[in-house]
Amino acid sequence: MENESFGFSSELTLDPFVIPPGGKYPIFFLGITVYFFCIFCNLTLLTLIILKRNLHKPMYFILFSLPLNDLIGITAMLPKVLSDIVTETNTVYYPLCVLQAFLLHMYGGGILFILAAMSVDRYAAICMPLRYSSIMTPRVVILIICLVWGLDFVLIVSLFSLQTRNPRCKSVIMNVFCDNPSLLKLTCGSTAVNNIIGLFNTAVMQAICVSVQAFSYVKILITCVFSRRSEAKMKAVNTCVAHMVIFIIFEIVATFTILSHRFKNVSADLQKIMGMLIFLIPPLMNPLVYGLYTSEIRDTLLRVLKGRRVSI
């Protein structure tokens, strides 16, 4: 057991990957390429939604939160991990560790709430097309976006506010980045309340988001089956596939990571890799999936590229 007077601003040590000799630079360059590709794709999607008036619609105002959230998640995690691999320092100060963990948990909850909000918009558009404009008014869209970020913020703050109740007596984070379970392992007191609140918050997020999406997509599929318009059917199928693929992949990786903290026989490196995938797969897939499956975004981007080519 380490010093009981472990200070607020003290330095923590991260548990690094076991990297073979000569492997750190290839891993770094691969990681930095993935990072800049994610940044480019998500910033492109954000820029299109901001600048192109044909995308100033409820669907895209809600979608705007997704690449913004992805940028928060991947930037809070990947640059620090890559820096540690190259410099082999693997240290972080406690306040920065808490900040990283907070942002990463905000990102995780944000994905669930944003996808749920997008499913509600698609439900209104496909199942009630004649009433869509009267349902998804600017006030309703603003309310949905505020609920998404507000609920996420309140749940994560309530989780991290419990960090101050237990004294810390360890200084090793058993991960390559900081998260709430790893921070809890630094404490030398009982973490039962923290675990209960953490599981409760996770259950609330899952209950809200899964039930909203299940209801929306079941209604969309029913409408699709009974619709005589092939265009409407294709639109519904594309919407469901795009959303559900991202949601299912995120759920599988996140569930494994959450459960792995509660089983001691899980490989440490596998736990780290699966944890990182939570913050890599959605930022990589979201702009590509929504760019490819959303015809209006795809056509807008192609027009912009053609316009630039003509001007050159």
Side-chain angles (χ1 to χ4, degrees):
M1 182 175 292
E2 301 183 20
N3 190 357
E4 291 286 346
S5 61
F6 192 58
F8 174 77
S9 61
S10 53
E11 196 173 64
L12 305 176
T13 301
L14 297 163
D15 187 37
F17 282 114
V18 178
I19 298 176
K24 67 177 184 179
Y25 288 109
I27 291 173
F28 172 79
F29 287 116
L30 175 62
I32 206 70
T33 301
V34 170
Y35 176 67
F36 282 119
F37 179 75
C38 288
I39 295 296
F40 172 76
C41 290
N42 284 285
L43 283 179
T44 299
L45 188 53
L46 287 173
T47 303
L48 285 175
I49 295 173
I50 291 172
L51 297 181
K52 297 302 175 180
R53 294 185 63 85
N54 63 303
L55 299 180
H56 292 180
K57 300 175 182 177
M59 173 184 176
Y60 302 112
F61 286 136
I62 297 173
L63 174 61
F64 186 88
S65 291
L66 197 58
L68 184 62
N69 189 61
D70 288 342
L71 289 174
I72 292 171
I74 196 169
T75 301
M77 186 277 296
L78 193 56
K80 170 61 177 168
V81 172
L82 294 176
S83 173
D84 288 345
I85 288 174
V86 171
T87 61
E88 299 182 2
T89 52
N90 305 307
T91 58
V92 62
Y93 285 102
Y94 179 73
L96 295 177
C97 188
V98 173
L99 176 61
Q100 183 187 46
F102 179 82
L103 291 175
L104 293 182
H105 282 266
M106 279 287 293
Y107 157 85
I111 286 183
L112 295 175
F113 285 122
I114 293 165
L115 290 177
M118 291 171 65
S119 71
V120 170
D121 173 78
R122 292 299 80 201
Y123 162 68
I126 295 170
C127 299
M128 297 175 285
L130 299 179
R131 297 170 53 204
Y132 178 74
S133 58
S134 62
I135 294 172
M136 299 299 293
T137 62
R139 181 175 295 181
V140 170
V141 172
I142 292 172
L143 177 62
I144 290 174
I145 295 171
C146 289
L147 277 174
V148 163
W149 290 101
L151 278 173
D152 189 23
F153 182 78
V154 168
L155 289 172
I156 302 305
V157 166
S158 68
L159 181 64
F160 276 81
S161 63
L162 297 173
Q163 289 285 350
T164 58
R165 60 185 296 272
N166 291 324
R168 288 178 290 115
C169 54
K170 301 175 186 176
S171 62
V172 178
I173 294 286
M174 299 307 296
N175 206 342
V176 289
F177 56 84
C178 299
D179 57 2
N180 185 60
S182 299
L183 285 170
L184 283 181
K185 292 176 184 177
L186 300 179
T187 65
C188 47
S190 173
T191 59
V193 175
N194 302 66
N195 288 326
I196 291 170
I197 297 298
L199 290 173
F200 173 77
N201 285 359
T202 302
V204 169
M205 285 184 183
Q206 292 288 345
I208 293 173
C209 300
V210 172
S211 59
V212 167
Q213 291 187 73
F215 173 82
S216 299
Y217 292 134
V218 167
K219 287 288 189 180
I220 287 172
L221 290 174
I222 291 173
T223 301
C224 173
V225 168
F226 290 100
S227 174
R228 295 180 179 179
R229 296 179 301 164
S230 58
E231 183 182 348
K233 291 183 180 181
M234 185 59 65
K235 185 178 181 181
V237 170
N238 285 344
T239 300
C240 290
V241 169
H243 287 209
M244 293 308 296
V245 164
I246 292 172
F247 178 71
I248 290 171
I249 291 174
F250 177 81
E251 284 290 294
I252 291 171
V253 177
T255 300
F256 175 87
T257 304
I258 291 169
L259 293 178
S260 68
H261 283 283
R262 288 159 174 81
F263 297 98
K264 295 182 179 180
N265 58 346
V266 177
S267 165
D269 280 344
L270 178 61
Q271 185 182 87
K272 294 169 190 172
I273 292 169
M274 293 297 284
M276 288 181 65
L277 289 178
I278 296 175
F279 311 101
L280 290 176
I281 292 177
L284 273 171
M285 290 188 62
N286 287 341
L288 296 177
V289 167
Y290 289 106
L292 292 173
Y293 274 83
T294 308
S295 59
E296 202 162 7
I297 291 178
R298 184 177 63 247
D299 294 342
T300 300
L301 180 59
L302 289 175
R303 285 198 299 270
V304 170
L305 293 176
K306 286 180 182 178
R308 291 193 65 179
R309 203 172 298 162
V310 169
S311 63
I312 293 173

